[in-house]
Amino acid sequence: MSKRLNGKVAVVTGAGRGIGRAYAHALAAEGAKIVVNDLGAAVDGSGREESSAAAVAREIVELGGEAVPDTHSVADFDGAEQIMRTAVSTFGRLDILVANAGNIRMAQLHESSAADWRDVMAVHADGTFHCIRHAVPLMLEHGGTIITTGDLSQGFHYPQLGAYRAAKAAIMVATLTAAHELKQHGINVNSVFPGTTSTRMAEAFFDGLDDKEGFYADAKEHFQADSEAAAAEPETVPPVGVYLCTDEGRSITGRSFVMDGTGIGLCTTTSELSFIAPNTAAWTTEELIARIPEWLTTAEAAAIPVTTTQG
């Protein structure tokens, strides 16, 4: 197997388990030196157990790669800077950032606490920003690759995940913004969405559903697929991300990919909008009452088209 990332240094956050661990191993297999970042928290973000990052780093070293653990929190602005500094102090540079750290707190919005909302946003949205903010200055001279971890709603409601999905929406906007801003510096920025994948977070979601039967029925109808089918393994997610780090893939930026087992989905960033105009100079409440319901039943809803290639 050719090692297309020899000499590159990568930071992978949330790399102590699941998809982050799979990213760390996949990048190392291509020759990259890895900073394995993981706070060692529970799936809801509580607690701290630092051995998971060390264990993954040790696995990579035992396979002949180079890796060091890091246990700073991405939710902390200064902590995120220390993660990036670990890459430079240990390996001399930083070329790749995989912003993958996450947590989950399940509750309906009207029942969520301020802490639930804050803690989820802090890891997903703030954490992604913190990492990008501190990684980019270390990449400006030689370029690099940033991969964020997004999520695609596909017009489907995932119950009790208001904070999580709001955070993922913020990540998508940040990803597209960074892609535009950093293209001139030779830094490509893309997002990879895991499909239904066997992770602690997915397990916590399904276990925490108030109405499992209702969710499975709605999902089956919406996706026209078996919603209870076996989840893909974490190792199915990194291939596209690794490709985007190679010389061949670094020209691609501002894109969003969905990894769903062996399927690769490409999400376009355009939406089809339907407009109506008032019959008079300005809208009145009476005209809106008369026209909005009919318009909503006939207009094409704004949507994000998804193209899936099975491989």
Side-chain angles (χ1 to χ4, degrees):
M1 180 179 179
S2 62
K3 294 186 180 294
R4 297 180 180 275
L5 300 179
N6 274 335
K8 304 294 186 182
V9 177
V11 163
V12 183
T13 68
R17 302 175 180 86
I19 293 170
R21 175 180 175 274
Y23 264 116
H25 274 281
L27 290 164
E30 286 284 4
K33 302 171 184 177
I34 313 296
V35 175
V36 179
N37 166 258
D38 202 294
L39 181 65
V43 71
D44 65 357
S46 63
R48 183 164 183 156
E49 191 274 304
E50 298 183 354
S51 64
S52 58
V56 174
R58 186 166 56 251
E59 292 169 2
I60 292 171
V61 171
E62 289 174 351
L63 290 170
E66 295 185 57
V68 293
D70 180 277
T71 58
H72 290 92
S73 172
V74 300
D76 179 70
F77 187 76
D78 294 334
E81 181 177 21
Q82 290 305 311
I83 300 170
M84 308 309 150
R85 291 294 174 189
T86 297
V88 175
S89 63
T90 306
F91 300 122
R93 58 187 289 140
L94 176 62
D95 303 277
I96 298 163
L97 165 66
V98 179
N100 170 76
N103 61 353
I104 189 173
R105 300 276 182 90
M106 292 191 65
Q108 296 186 51
L109 278 178
H110 69 279
E111 296 174 344
S112 297
S113 68
D116 288 339
W117 178 272
R118 236 182 359 253
D119 290 349
V120 172
M121 284 289 182
V123 175
H124 288 278
D126 295 352
T128 298
F129 160 67
H130 294 163
C131 289
I132 291 175
R133 171 62 181 83
H134 292 303
V136 168
L138 303 176
M139 297 180 178
L140 288 175
E141 289 188 4
H142 54 264
T145 296
I146 296 172
I147 299 166
T148 65
T149 304
D151 194 15
L152 182 65
S153 68
Q154 298 181 2
F156 182 70
H157 170 59
Y158 289 84
Q160 303 164 246
L161 287 183
Y164 172 87
R165 300 196 69 75
K168 291 301 187 182
I171 289 172
M172 286 310 305
V173 174
T175 300
L176 292 174
T177 300
H180 285 291
E181 293 177 347
L182 299 175
K183 185 176 181 179
Q184 63 180 317
H185 299 292
I187 301 172
N188 63 322
V189 188
N190 297 279
S191 191
V192 176
F193 304 174
T196 303
T197 309
S198 179
T199 64
R200 289 192 310 163
M201 200 174 297
E203 182 179 345
F205 167 68
F206 290 117
D207 287 348
L209 284 171
D210 292 335
D211 181 10
K212 291 182 176 65
E213 290 186 5
F215 172 80
Y216 288 133
D218 290 345
K220 184 174 183 179
E221 180 180 357
H222 180 82
F223 294 107
Q224 297 297 302
D226 183 0
S227 59
E228 296 186 70
E233 291 302 315
E235 287 74 19
T236 64
V237 177
V240 165
V242 173
Y243 160 70
L244 294 168
C245 298
T246 66
D247 291 341
E248 293 83 356
R250 283 189 52 213
S251 62
I252 298 170
T253 194
R255 296 285 190 156
S256 299
F257 298 90
V258 182
M259 299 301 296
D260 193 8
T262 58
I264 301 175
L266 174 64
C267 307
T268 70
T269 56
T270 58
S271 296
E272 296 180 5
L273 304 180
S274 176
F275 291 92
I276 56 175
N279 293 325
T280 56
W283 286 106
T284 64
T285 302
E286 289 75 14
E287 186 178 1
L288 291 170
I289 290 172
R291 295 183 60 191
I292 288 290
E294 180 182 3
W295 174 56
L296 291 179
T297 61
T298 58
E300 291 186 359
I304 302 178
V306 178
T307 303
T308 302
T309 301
Q310 295 295 330

